[in-house]
Structures are given as structure tokens and as C-alpha cells.
Amino acid sequence: LQCRDLQIDLIARTVHRDGEFIKLTNTEFNLLALFAQNEGRALTHQYILREIWGNDFQQENQYLRVFVGTLRKKIEKDPHQPQHILTENGVGYRFQ
């Protein structure tokens, strides 16, 4: 998948930004892949938690915020003004 400056290879499970390899954990990659495969859609916290961690984690919004923050630090040029993973207040996140 090509998303602006990101290249996401779902089969090889690799990510590059502007041609530079970005090392992600398995969970971070799974989270990014979920976002990228649902580009433009607002995904609720509960949906993301269920898809990545399972039913037992559906109320762990803080857990999700930590992972999104870490992922933003790795893939965004400026994590404080994200261009890829946008927060949808009161809903969840949207990948642009």
C-alpha cells in the first residue's frame, strides 16, 4: 500500500517512509495495517481494540492511546501534528 510518504508491504510486513525502513513491533504493524486497510474510515476505539487485541481489551482505551502514540512517533514526520493517523474526538482514529 502506498499512502503519501509511507510504503506498507502487507506480505513482507515492512514499512518504509520516503524509502527509509521503519522498524515496527508486530502489534504496531498490525495496528498500522488495520488503519491502512480502512483508509478514510473512522474506526472506533472498541473496534480497533477488538481487532488487534481481542474481546477482553475492548475497554482499554488508554492502552490503545499508548500504542497509537508510539506508532505516530515512528511513522509521522511530526508526531504532534500527525498527517496519517488522525484522532476523531469521541470516536477513535482515522487513517489518511
Side-chain angles (χ1 to χ4, degrees):
L1 301 171
Q2 179 75 39
C3 303
R4 294 185 197 174
D5 59 341
L6 289 180
Q7 299 83 40
I8 305 165
D9 186 330
L10 297 174
I11 295 171
R13 297 181 60 83
T14 59
V15 178
H16 292 81
R17 185 181 69 216
D18 293 330
E20 185 177 327
F21 176 74
I22 299 173
K23 183 173 176 35
L24 298 179
T25 66
N26 284 332
T27 301
E28 290 167 346
F29 183 85
N30 292 341
L31 186 57
L32 181 58
L34 179 67
F35 284 138
Q37 290 171 322
N38 289 281
E39 184 176 2
R41 294 185 196 148
L43 302 180
T44 65
H45 294 116
Q46 290 75 25
Y47 175 78
I48 298 166
L49 288 162
R50 184 178 63 245
E51 291 297 309
I52 302 299
W53 290 281
N55 289 328
D56 294 338
F57 289 86
Q58 286 187 3
Q59 302 304 316
E60 301 296 331
N61 290 345
Q62 186 58 33
Y63 195 69
L64 178 58
R65 285 188 193 104
V66 169
F67 271 89
V68 168
T70 302
L71 186 56
R72 280 178 172 157
K73 287 178 185 175
K74 292 183 177 185
I75 69 164
E76 300 283 1
K77 289 183 180 180
D78 180 358
H80 300 291
Q81 295 182 347
Q83 300 297 308
H84 294 291
I85 302 172
L86 307 178
T87 300
E88 292 289 328
N89 290 326
V91 178
Y93 299 97
R94 178 187 313 272
F95 187 81
Q96 293 283 98

